[in-house]
Amino acid sequence: MVLLEGKRQMKLELKGIGKEFDQGNGKQVSVLKDVSFQIDGELIVGILGPSGCGKTTLLRIIAGLERPTSGEVLLDGEPIVKPSPRMGMIFQEHALLPWLSVIENVSLGLEMRGIPARQRQETATKYLELVGLQDCASSRSYELSGGMRQKAAVARALSLEPSLLLMDEPFSALDPQTRAQIQADILRIQEKTAKAIVLVTHSVEEALILSDELVILSSRPGSVKELIKVEIERPRDRMNPQFLEMRETVLAYLNGGKQ
Amino acid sequence: MNRNLLKLLLPAAIILIWEAVALYLNNPFVLPDLRAVLSVLSSPTTDIMGSGSLLDNGKMSLFRVTLGFFIASCLAIPLGLAMGRWEAARDIAGGLLSAVRPIPPLAWVPLAMAWFKIGLASMSFIIAFGAFFPVLLSTLAGVRSVKQSWLEAVSMMGAGELNLIRKVILPGSAPEIWTGMRVGFGIAWMCVVAAEMLPGTSSGLGYLIMYSYGWGQTQIVVAGMVAIGIIGILIDQLFLIVERRWFSWRANDR
Ligand SMILES: Nc1ncnc2c1ncn2[C@@H]1O[C@H](COP(=O)(O)OP(=O)(O)OP(=O)(O)O)[C@@H](O)[C@H]1O
Ligand SMILES: [Mg+2]
């Protein structure tokens, strides 16, 4: 099975993103400050940072679900002002529609795009196979385990063949084994479909297993503290000395040391 | 113990007590005995003193309630969706609706008669009023129960407002809307019988009950009441069957 959609160079630019929220009492709280970085091509970029530093907010701004107070997000040079099917999002909570079967969830985007039923079915099945859920096509989301739900959400996000996948701690609710397995799936899928991925995570290990580059944010208001290239050979081994060393470095950045 | 037996316990006891009291009183004008009522119920197609049969009058009532209920749903569901989704709609309609809501449907009878004369139109108007608010309120609650993450996930697929309503908000709030319709139908059913008891009507179960009362035929009054109850239960069961068939996801979705 060849799934490669053909290489599509994509470029995501964040230019001076700032975000303030109303606190309700008239005061403004600054959550993000002058966040700038860019992603060229099909890389996996991990975003790490202390809790509350604005990672989710940043991802939602990239997705167009939230507007920044200042700065702009450019996807292939075009500003993002609203959600776009050129990006697929995988939420922390799968967010599958419980009244639809898994395959209906996966083909919903195709349906709204006006693609004929037969072709929808084909495409949706293809992506369900890719994540290994072909046998659960007609199940409802509540009949699946947590890991399967996230896989279905991945298939759904892939179905519109976006050039960029956004993931907000998608595996944090899963047990370690399922998590390791789904991480391997993500790598396999990324290789096959040639996508850029922005992954928000709490886990330094997860970030190091998956990412080509790391963005480390400072505590609130989040700003880019460090950009790191992860040049460990794949497949990566958690026990490899290079991996462990890198882990120490990243942890040091996160804990405020090492300037 | 068998649960079905348990469910029958109370109705059986009441029927027994009724029969005992009826025999003791021995006055069919106050309380007819079981046999008299059953004999009316067992021949639902027989004309009753020139006012039509039980079945015909039942059909008439059902027709009226369905019409009024249909009108109410057609108004309440779109309005509820709009009010649930758009603040402006809530601001425009909210005040008026909460002022009208405490007025019982039957309080509209005089105005309804003045506007539409006695007949189907005024009856539907009253019934529609009875069913409108339960359907509206549950639609509002339904829209509120739609998860933000569903909306966001589908808008990431490039859905516009119309598709969000069609693909997420409407199906996502359907179980609540359906429950509201079930409640609304129950109220509408009460309204139709009450409205048919008003002077000037000449058909329907409510009319049949009042007419038989006028002739001192209490067994027909009771038979009419039983018929109202049975039809009510049957329709409620219909709603429940659909609910279980189509909306089971709601109970399963945590
Ligand atoms: N809609 C909102 N209105 C007001 N404040 C908000 C809103 N969304 C987020 N915040 C605030 O912005 C800050 C950053 O939130 P965000 O969810 O982006 O952090 P995070 O880095 O994802 O945290 P975590 O690691 O715990 O998931 C928090 O202090 C939060 O209270
Ligand atoms: Mg977060």
Side-chain angles (χ1 to χ4, degrees):
Chain A
M1 184 173 58
V2 177
L3 285 164
L4 211 61
E5 290 155 20
K7 278 231 189 274
R8 222 176 347 201
Q9 200 62 30
M10 84 96 231
K11 182 173 183 176
L12 179 76
E13 294 167 274
L14 276 70
K15 292 188 166 169
I17 301 291
K19 179 71 183 177
E20 288 176 7
F21 280 114
D22 257 329
Q23 277 199 306
N25 52 10
K27 281 194 201 138
Q28 302 277 315
V29 55
S30 177
V31 172
L32 291 169
K33 217 178 121 195
D34 197 27
V35 176
S36 303
F37 61 88
Q38 68 176 55
I39 303 173
D40 274 303
E42 292 69 38
L43 299 177
I44 303 183
V45 175
I47 299 183
L48 282 167
S51 188
C53 74
K55 301 183 294 293
T56 297
T57 309
L58 184 63
L59 204 68
R60 291 171 56 83
I61 288 173
I62 297 175
L65 290 169
E66 197 106 53
R67 301 282 298 125
T69 318
S70 57
E72 59 177 350
V73 179
L74 302 175
L75 182 59
D76 296 330
E78 280 175 55
I80 295 293
V81 292
K82 64 177 172 57
S84 147
R86 282 185 300 160
M87 291 184 268
M89 178 108 163
I90 293 149
F91 297 81
Q92 182 164 9
E93 280 286 321
H94 59 88
L96 297 167
L97 306 179
W99 57 89
L100 297 181
S101 68
V102 167
I103 195 161
E104 284 167 338
N105 265 290
V106 176
S107 44
L108 181 60
L110 302 165
E111 186 189 334
M112 288 189 301
R113 201 176 261 186
I115 292 175
R118 260 189 60 106
Q119 209 177 326
R120 282 202 306 260
Q121 180 86 10
E122 253 167 51
T123 311
T125 309
K126 177 175 97 176
Y127 284 106
L128 282 178
E129 276 168 7
L130 184 64
V131 299
L133 277 186
Q134 62 277 20
D135 296 334
C136 305
S138 53
S139 308
R140 301 285 179 98
S141 59
Y142 51 79
E143 294 167 330
L144 305 181
S145 70
M148 289 156 101
R149 286 176 200 176
Q150 278 313 16
K151 286 183 185 178
V154 170
R156 177 173 69 174
L158 289 171
S159 70
L160 288 174
E161 315 203 329
S163 38
L164 175 64
L165 277 185
L166 306 171
M167 308 185 178
D168 187 9
E169 305 193 32
F171 318 129
S172 59
L174 307 178
D175 64 89
Q177 272 154 322
T178 314
R179 195 169 173 160
Q181 196 230 322
I182 210 167
Q183 285 166 356
D185 285 341
I186 290 293
L187 286 174
R188 179 174 53 84
I189 288 164
Q190 199 257 351
E191 215 163 82
K192 273 199 171 172
T193 58
K195 294 210 188 307
I197 297 178
V198 178
L199 170 81
V200 166
T201 175
H202 258 123
S203 151
V204 174
E205 280 215 347
E206 179 168 277
L208 285 175
I209 289 277
L210 294 177
S211 313
D212 300 297
E213 289 179 8
L214 288 182
V215 178
I216 297 180
L217 296 179
S218 65
S219 54
R220 204 175 72 195
S223 57
V224 178
K225 196 171 178 186
E226 203 61 50
L227 293 170
I228 303 175
K229 277 207 180 343
V230 186
E231 284 165 329
I232 310 173
E233 234 172 78
R234 295 178 191 275
R236 289 176 183 163
D237 172 8
R238 280 159 228 256
M239 288 300 142
N240 172 316
Q242 203 188 350
F243 188 97
L244 292 172
E245 189 189 325
M246 192 99 204
R247 189 169 148 238
E248 289 309 309
T249 317
V250 173
L251 280 172
Y253 280 125
L254 279 174
N255 295 331
K258 200 155 186 176
Q259 274 308 308
Chain B
M1 198 164 130
N2 191 322
R3 287 187 54 202
N4 285 331
L5 273 177
L6 222 55
K7 284 177 191 166
L8 288 176
L9 202 64
L10 200 58
I14 285 177
I15 288 172
L16 273 178
I17 294 170
W18 164 19
E19 188 64 2
V21 176
L23 287 175
Y24 173 75
L25 288 177
N26 194 20
N27 181 346
F29 296 110
V30 178
L31 196 63
D33 66 6
L34 195 58
R35 206 170 36 79
V37 173
L38 282 180
S39 82
V40 179
L41 281 173
S42 61
S43 52
T45 49
T46 319
D47 181 77
I48 295 167
M49 298 179 297
S51 62
S53 69
L54 205 55
L55 197 68
D56 287 339
N57 283 302
K59 275 195 219 157
M60 192 63 209
S61 297
L62 256 181
F63 168 66
R64 285 172 180 148
V65 78
T66 308
L67 184 66
F69 175 73
F70 181 74
I71 294 170
S73 301
C74 286
L75 293 173
I77 295 172
L79 185 63
L81 290 173
M83 286 175 72
R85 182 71 182 154
W86 299 302
E87 220 162 47
R90 209 152 45 230
D91 290 344
I92 292 168
L96 177 68
L97 288 171
S98 46
V100 174
R101 186 155 79 94
I103 304 172
L106 291 179
W108 288 94
V109 165
L111 274 185
M113 296 214 280
W115 294 342
F116 305 112
K117 307 278 183 312
I118 293 157
L120 189 60
S122 54
M123 208 89 82
S124 309
F125 177 82
I126 294 159
I127 296 159
F129 250 102
F132 180 79
F133 283 102
V135 180
L136 178 75
L137 293 179
S138 59
T139 306
L140 274 170
V143 176
R144 236 175 285 130
S145 78
V146 170
K147 287 187 192 158
Q148 188 64 25
S149 61
W150 297 341
L151 289 166
E152 289 182 346
V154 176
S155 61
M156 285 305 293
M157 301 170 189
E161 186 68 15
L162 195 68
N163 264 331
L164 285 182
I165 292 177
R166 275 181 41 215
K167 299 292 183 187
V168 186
I169 296 177
L170 195 54
S173 52
E176 272 83 2
I177 296 178
W178 191 252
T179 306
M181 288 172 77
R182 191 177 142 219
V183 174
F185 200 98
I187 295 181
W189 187 231
M190 290 194 249
C191 287
V192 70
V193 174
E196 284 167 351
M197 289 184 167
L198 296 168
T201 23
S202 58
S203 60
L205 287 174
Y207 161 76
L208 183 68
I209 288 174
M210 283 316 272
Y211 180 80
S212 324
Y213 171 73
W215 288 99
Q217 301 293 307
T218 314
Q219 78 281 13
I220 298 175
V221 173
V222 176
M225 290 169 69
V226 172
I228 290 167
I230 290 173
I231 294 173
I233 291 177
L234 289 180
I235 288 168
D236 203 55
Q237 287 302 314
L238 230 74
F239 272 96
L240 277 177
I241 288 170
V242 174
E243 190 174 313
R244 252 171 269 159
R245 173 79 183 74
W246 294 102
F247 303 133
S248 57
W249 64 264
R250 163 62 86 221
N252 289 311
D253 186 54
R254 256 170 295 170

